């Protein structure tokens, strides 16, 4: 993608403009991390970019941004700009196009993100981003209070970078976070949630978690306000998704249940269902301190890794849980109820004189669990003979 971006820059320069790769791609290239999206800043206006390239999508043209499709990849190309006024603590009240890349870099959040790379791979670094990377520090561009007032979410981004990169937050930047943490109440919880889960999933999550607690930011988050000992709840391993994070914190007494988390953090129903499945599996695990066939059977396979991480987050990293879960999954007698040799219709036929009711589900669950646990063979005649020995169903 860098090579294609350099070609885009070359075409812009051929048209009389100037352009650079900017932002996180430059930072990650210098650190040696995998590159995500590649963004480009240019001296040309959006309409001029539209005249240069065949496939251009005006995704934010009022702020100078268009999407250039080039070699089947997408590149955001934005005109150099400066911003003023942030009434909503996110969007600038006024955007002014400028002609100098250094003015454009001055509006960015942290020095390590305020660098630009030309097509010859030279680095424009007016705020010491390369030194910050060398020193492994996260430092705001210019005055930290101004940067955080413009968008308070940047405070969480600072901690998220600490979690992902293992960098420390520079002292003045951390002081500003301490003072301005209450500004987070102006930020949509959906934006906070997006940063929070990236932070919890970071390789250095415990470092990021510590900064959240010591700066007072955690107190601004839903369900954490009344928790005075959050620092004692740092998980042993990273939490890579919201379902496992919710399950972990509920187990630690932060929030009463999954529904509280989904409501307060405005998360999706899919996350709620997954978290409830993981919670159910963990309750089963607590009964025996082992991963049973019935637990594995009821846990969706897509949640296997999340469940193992939850156990490790609570009890410590131990690879035996992964091995045990995999072994149990491979040895299951059935994958779901449809695999049973004896179905509900067979049960109803066996007790044809009985009125249909809740007993059907109760009996089928009993059959299902007994087969899964290996206490009876999944064979029609075997199950039928066994069921015939039961007391006749009682309808309530």
């Amino acid at each position: 993608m860098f090579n294609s971006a350099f070609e885009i820059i070359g075409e812009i320069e051929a048209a009389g403009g100037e352009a650079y790769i900017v932002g996180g791609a430059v930072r990650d290239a210098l650190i040696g991390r995998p590159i995500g999206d590649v963004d480009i800043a240019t001296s040309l206006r959006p309409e001029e970019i539209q005249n240069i390239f065949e496939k251009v999508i005006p995704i934010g043209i009022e702020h100078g941004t268009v999407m250039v499709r080039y070699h089947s990849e997408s590149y955001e190309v934005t005109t150099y700009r400066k911003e003023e006024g942030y009434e909503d603590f996110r969007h600038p009240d006024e955007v002014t196009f400028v002609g100098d890349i250094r003015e454009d870099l001055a509006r960015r959040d942290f020095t390590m993100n305020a660098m630009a790379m030309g097509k010859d791979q030279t680095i424009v670094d007016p705020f010491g981003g390369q030194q910050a990377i060398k020193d492994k520090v996260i430092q705001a561009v210019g005055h930290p209070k101004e940067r955080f007032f413009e968008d308070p979410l940047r405070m969480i981004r600072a901690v998220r970078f600490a979690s992902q990169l293992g960098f420390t937050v520079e002292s003045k930047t951390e002081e500003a976070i301490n003072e301005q943490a209450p500004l987070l109440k102006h930020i949509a919880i959906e934006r906070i949630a997006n940063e929070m889960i990236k932070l919890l999933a970071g390789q250095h999550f415990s470092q990021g978690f510590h900064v959240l607690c010591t700066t007072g930011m955690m107190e601004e988050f839903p369900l954490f306000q009344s928790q005075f000992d959050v620092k004692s709840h740092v998980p042993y391993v990273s939490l890579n998704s919201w379902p496992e994070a919710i399950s972990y914190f509920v187990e630690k007494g932060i929030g009463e249940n999954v529904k509280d988390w989904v409501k307060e953090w405005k998360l999706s129903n899919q996350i709620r269902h997954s978290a409830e499945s993981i919670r159910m599996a963990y309750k089963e695990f607590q009964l025996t301190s082992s991963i049973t066939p019935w637990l594995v059977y009821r846990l969706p396979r897509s949640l296997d890794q999340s469940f193992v991480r939850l156990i490790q987050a609570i009890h410590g990293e131990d690879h035996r849980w992964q091995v045990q879960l995999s072994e149990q999954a491979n040895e299951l007698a059935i994958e779901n109820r449809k695999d049973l040799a004896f179905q509900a219709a067979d049960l109803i036929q066996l007790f044809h004189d009985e009125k249909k009711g809740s007993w059907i589900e109760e009996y089928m669950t009993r059959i299902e669990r007994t087969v899964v646990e290996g206490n009876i063979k999944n064979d029609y005649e075997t199950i039928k003979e066994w069921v015939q020995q039961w007391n006749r169903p009682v309808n309530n």
Side-chain angles (χ1 to χ4, degrees):
M1 289 187 71
F2 263 43
N3 290 333
S4 293
F6 292 148
E7 291 179 19
I8 292 173
I9 291 172
E11 294 198 35
I12 291 174
E13 289 179 348
E18 178 182 274
Y20 295 89
I21 296 173
V22 293
V26 180
R27 176 200 67 226
D28 290 341
L30 294 176
I31 292 174
R33 298 178 75 224
I35 306 299
D37 295 333
V38 177
D39 297 331
I40 296 171
T42 179
S43 60
L44 298 186
R45 302 297 176 90
E47 57 272 18
E48 295 175 291
I49 298 298
Q50 289 176 312
N51 291 332
I52 297 172
F53 300 98
E54 290 183 7
K55 298 180 180 179
V56 180
I57 305 168
I59 58 172
I61 202 163
E62 68 279 5
H63 292 133
T65 301
V66 294
M67 183 75 75
V68 173
R69 290 287 295 170
Y70 194 84
H71 292 175
S72 300
E73 297 287 352
S74 296
Y75 299 83
E76 280 193 14
V77 179
T78 303
T79 304
Y80 300 158
R81 68 192 193 198
K82 64 179 181 179
E83 303 167 345
E84 294 179 336
Y86 292 82
E87 287 291 329
D88 65 354
F89 296 97
R90 180 181 182 183
H91 301 101
D93 299 329
E94 184 178 348
V95 172
T96 304
F97 296 142
V98 295
D100 188 344
I101 182 60
R102 289 164 180 79
E103 283 191 80
D104 182 83
L105 296 175
R107 68 181 174 83
R108 299 176 185 269
D109 52 7
F110 306 111
T111 58
M112 64 180 184
N113 296 334
M115 296 181 287
M117 179 186 290
K119 74 175 191 298
D120 59 356
Q121 299 188 42
T122 57
I123 304 295
V124 179
D125 182 14
F127 303 103
Q130 293 175 94
Q131 188 63 46
I133 289 173
K134 182 179 178 181
D135 295 339
K136 296 187 176 182
V137 297
I138 298 162
Q139 181 176 15
V141 173
H143 298 291
K145 290 182 182 180
E146 292 180 8
R147 296 289 82 77
F148 297 147
F149 186 83
E150 291 166 354
D151 186 353
L153 188 72
R154 287 171 170 171
M155 291 184 280
I156 305 178
R157 279 171 55 83
V159 186
R160 189 253 289 180
F161 284 127
S163 173
Q164 292 178 323
L165 304 176
F167 287 14
T168 58
V169 181
E170 179 265 339
S171 59
K172 290 185 178 179
T173 302
E174 187 169 351
E175 287 174 13
I177 292 174
N178 268 309
E179 290 184 29
Q180 295 181 285
L183 290 177
L184 289 169
K185 66 177 176 288
H186 299 291
I187 302 302
I189 193 61
E190 295 92 338
R191 297 181 69 208
I192 294 175
N194 185 50
E195 292 293 330
M196 185 69 164
I197 198 58
K198 291 178 184 177
L199 186 159
L200 293 172
Q203 184 178 357
H204 307 273
F205 65 93
S206 59
Q207 185 171 322
F209 202 96
H210 176 76
V211 177
L212 277 184
C213 295
T214 56
T215 56
M217 277 194 287
M218 195 74 92
E219 297 172 14
E220 302 299 326
F221 299 156
L223 304 176
F224 285 100
Q225 295 94 333
S226 60
Q227 299 295 324
F228 299 104
D229 61 342
V230 174
K231 284 186 286 187
S232 66
H233 294 320
V234 180
Y236 285 108
V237 300
S238 62
L239 300 167
N240 295 358
S241 69
W242 269 115
E244 59 201 73
I246 292 171
S247 301
Y248 174 82
F249 287 123
V250 170
E251 186 61 30
K252 291 296 181 178
I254 301 174
E256 292 187 8
N257 52 52
V258 171
K259 289 183 179 179
D260 285 349
W261 274 87
V262 171
K263 178 182 178 181
E264 294 297 326
W265 285 77
K266 295 186 179 180
L267 302 171
S268 69
N269 281 330
Q270 181 178 353
I271 288 174
R272 177 173 66 84
H273 294 316
S274 295
E276 287 173 344
S277 294
I278 295 172
R279 285 285 296 156
M280 179 181 67
Y282 187 72
K283 288 178 181 178
E284 179 78 18
F285 172 81
Q286 287 177 304
L287 296 175
T288 60
S289 295
S290 64
I291 297 179
T292 65
W294 184 239
L295 181 161
V296 175
Y297 175 76
R298 293 200 296 171
L299 181 69
R301 294 283 72 80
S302 60
L303 298 176
D304 282 357
Q305 298 307 312
S306 290
F307 175 66
V308 170
R309 273 194 297 273
L310 174 64
I311 297 176
Q312 293 177 333
I314 295 171
H315 299 280
E317 192 167 6
D318 189 334
H319 296 294
R320 64 176 166 153
W321 305 121
Q322 177 65 64
V323 173
Q324 195 175 110
L325 189 148
S326 298
E327 289 176 348
Q328 294 284 18
N330 290 333
E331 294 174 4
L332 286 176
I334 58 174
E335 294 294 327
N336 53 59
R337 185 173 286 186
K338 292 180 180 178
D339 294 337
L340 280 174
F342 193 88
Q343 292 289 319
D346 303 311
L347 184 65
I348 294 169
Q349 179 62 32
L350 190 62
F351 296 108
H352 61 273
D353 292 334
E354 301 294 336
K355 182 180 179 181
K356 293 180 180 179
S358 60
W359 64 271
I360 298 174
E361 176 61 26
E362 292 171 7
Y363 277 28
M364 286 304 301
T365 299
R366 183 178 173 186
I367 295 169
E368 188 177 23
R369 181 162 188 166
T370 305
V371 169
V372 167
E373 292 178 341
N375 295 321
I376 191 171
K377 186 179 179 182
N378 186 31
D379 172 78
Y380 175 82
E381 291 297 335
T382 303
I383 297 173
K384 180 180 178 181
E385 291 177 10
W386 176 56
V387 174
Q388 284 176 324
Q389 300 172 19
W390 297 0
N391 293 328
R392 298 192 70 80
V394 176
N395 282 296
N396 296 323

